[in-house]
Amino acid sequence: MPVNYTTPSPETLFPVAGIRLGLAEAGIRKLDRRDLTLVALDTGCTVAGVFTQNRFCAAPVLLCRSHLESGSEIRALVINTGIANAGTGESGLQAAQETCDSVGRLMGVDASQVLPFSTGVILEALPVDRLIAGLPRCFGDLKADNWHAAAHGIMTTDTVAKAASRQVEINGRTVTVTGISKGAGMIRPNMATMLGFVATDAGVAESLLQQLVREAADASFNCITVDGDTSTNDSFILMATGKSGAEFADDTAPGYAELREAVTGVALELAQAIIRDGEGATKFITIAVDGGKDREECKRVGYAIGHSPLVKTAFFASDPNLGRILAAIGYADIAGLDVDGVRVWLGSEDGEVLVAEKGARADSYREEDGARIMKAAEITVRVDLGRGEARGKVYSCDLSYEYVKINADYRS
């Protein structure tokens, strides 16, 4: 079960004017489940995205990058689950192109105006004939209030659908931001989430939207890890329809800070939901690193702790074997790190205890205090590197027997 997370109810997910979503059961990999989603965008929308840095990136990622770089006005997104269409070579590219061609014919737009996305098993061929056959049903299901259904339609090993929505007043206008994401395993994004789609009815210039999607990703999806694996299909897309009348040409425009905060807030909520639903997770762990020379070295330390199987299994067992945290800090490759200046705390809603300082266990630390905190469902590891003013956060989870079971049985 997810750690303190439930899917928002449909009525709390605000429609975004200019965006409609439709779903169908296409039988991509399994029968009797909605596994194909079509997102239709009105004319005048701007779209930006960031994608996986994995060199074995999936065919849809290659095509998405190409279509966005071409400058075409994006009018549709098509998302399938079950098969990732990754590690599929030239035939995979052809399948992704056929998908875009079919959506284009259905919607009366050019194939270059369609962005395809796939998620699921790697190294297996996408059954593009089934996908294409399901598209008319998606088209007939297009509705502005289908965000809740779409959040369910893009799931793979997720146990819950992930969605977030908020409305803010900006320059006298109500601006909506709504998004969905999927992911539970193969999570160590190096750009964004596994699949994430956020839309706003603000009007945002294309170059500014690209800046915003990168900033939002860096503050959210690029701060999470379940297992340290970067997927072949990671994609985070931000869409702006302009229907609210609030317009932003650059980051100095009045109200832009409020829009950035809203978009980043939705992205962070979605990213944290992925960790709360990490495969087999029983604990949500925030790793807050302060006192670094720059944010990147803070995140490097955070990821070293968050990736470590030894640290993660200790949290699962509620075993205060906290020397594992010091070991992870030590191999995080921080040049010139003075370990005598590092301090580490462990905290939960029941309080915080100093674990280590001056290169050793803190005199005040008692193992029973560490054990008590590690039994909590939400835990914070706080590290002060003692070498600067920078700070950064990484969000992770524990590693349980269930993680192995889920991934051992994934294709069965």
Side-chain angles (χ1 to χ4, degrees):
M1 295 293 293
V3 181
N4 296 334
Y5 182 81
T6 56
T7 307
S9 58
E11 61 272 13
T12 64
L13 300 176
F14 304 113
V16 178
I19 303 283
R20 294 173 298 146
L21 308 94
L23 291 87
E25 295 179 6
I28 301 295
R29 184 162 176 267
K30 295 181 179 180
L31 299 177
D32 302 320
R33 64 152 297 171
R34 287 182 156 188
D35 55 5
L36 185 62
T37 303
L38 180 66
V39 183
L41 287 69
D42 286 358
T43 58
C45 296
T46 53
V47 179
V50 286
F51 301 91
T52 182
Q53 298 300 305
N54 191 312
R55 296 305 295 266
F56 259 110
C57 62
V61 170
L62 294 173
L63 214 53
C64 280
R65 285 174 173 157
S66 175
H67 289 181
L68 285 171
E69 289 168 2
S70 74
S72 297
E73 181 186 36
I74 302 303
R75 295 294 310 282
L77 282 58
V78 57
I79 310 148
N80 78 268
T81 185
I83 300 294
N85 195 12
T88 47
E90 185 60 34
S91 63
L93 283 170
Q94 291 174 1
Q97 185 61 58
E98 288 178 37
T99 299
C100 294
D101 292 342
S102 297
V103 173
R105 286 192 296 269
L106 186 65
M107 295 186 57
V109 301
D110 191 82
S112 66
Q113 296 178 278
V114 181
L115 300 182
F117 303 88
S118 298
T119 181
V121 179
I122 298 170
L123 214 64
E124 293 189 12
L126 179 69
V128 69
D129 54 337
R130 286 179 237 162
L131 189 157
I132 291 172
L135 287 173
R137 296 193 295 278
C138 289
F139 187 77
D141 187 51
L142 287 172
K143 295 189 287 283
D145 60 354
N146 246 353
W147 287 95
H148 187 266
H152 286 80
I154 64 175
M155 293 166 58
T156 50
T157 60
D158 310 61
T159 67
V160 292
K162 301 163 181 71
S165 189
R166 60 185 64 184
Q167 289 184 323
V168 292
E169 292 295 319
I170 301 178
N171 301 333
R173 299 179 185 273
T174 300
V175 172
T176 299
V177 181
T178 297
I180 58 176
S181 67
K182 62 80 50 184
M186 197 176 277
I187 306 291
R188 195 304 195 195
N190 190 18
M191 41 40 71
T193 183
M194 304 322 93
L195 289 181
F197 307 96
V198 174
T200 178
D201 56 8
V204 186
E206 187 173 329
S207 60
L208 182 60
L209 194 69
Q210 186 63 49
Q211 174 184 320
L212 179 55
V213 75
R214 291 190 182 281
E215 290 175 347
D218 285 343
S220 58
F221 299 118
N222 277 346
C223 296
I224 62 175
T225 179
V226 168
D227 48 23
D229 275 314
T230 296
S231 169
T232 55
N233 293 59
D234 293 352
S235 305
F236 174 37
I237 298 296
L238 182 57
M239 299 163 276
T241 71
K243 299 292 186 179
S244 70
E247 296 285 341
F248 303 94
D250 57 54
D251 58 10
T252 64
Y256 178 73
E258 288 88 342
L259 175 66
R260 179 173 54 201
E261 181 180 0
V263 170
T264 301
V266 166
L268 181 58
E269 189 174 336
L270 294 172
Q272 291 186 352
I274 289 173
I275 298 304
R276 294 182 183 279
D277 192 32
E279 289 172 344
T282 68
K283 295 175 182 177
F284 178 83
I285 302 165
T286 300
I287 305 163
V289 183
D290 300 333
K293 287 188 176 180
D294 55 47
R295 183 170 177 267
E296 285 310 306
E297 75 173 25
C298 291
K299 287 183 66 176
R300 198 178 310 137
V301 169
Y303 269 124
I305 297 168
H307 288 334
S308 169
L310 291 176
V311 172
K312 293 161 78 69
T313 50
F315 276 113
F316 172 64
S318 300
D319 174 19
N321 190 353
L322 301 177
R324 295 176 175 183
I325 295 176
L326 294 188
I329 297 170
Y331 64 61
D333 195 26
I334 305 302
L337 178 65
D338 178 6
V339 297
D340 287 342
V342 174
R343 293 184 294 169
V344 179
W345 292 262
L346 201 63
S348 71
E349 62 181 7
D350 293 329
E352 184 180 66
V353 296
L354 177 64
V355 174
E357 63 178 347
K358 301 177 182 177
R361 177 185 293 206
D363 291 339
S364 60
Y365 177 71
R366 298 293 178 267
E367 185 157 317
E368 56 267 29
D369 293 330
R372 171 178 53 81
I373 288 176
M374 290 185 76
K375 290 178 181 178
E378 303 211 16
I379 301 166
T380 297
V381 177
R382 187 162 68 89
V383 179
D384 184 351
L385 297 176
R387 54 195 264 120
E389 301 299 322
R391 58 183 53 191
K393 283 186 178 179
V394 169
Y395 304 95
S396 188
C397 59
D398 58 342
L399 185 62
S400 70
Y401 307 121
E402 191 66 16
Y403 176 88
V404 177
K405 183 177 184 299
I406 289 169
N407 284 282
D409 295 343
Y410 181 57
R411 296 203 308 159
S412 59

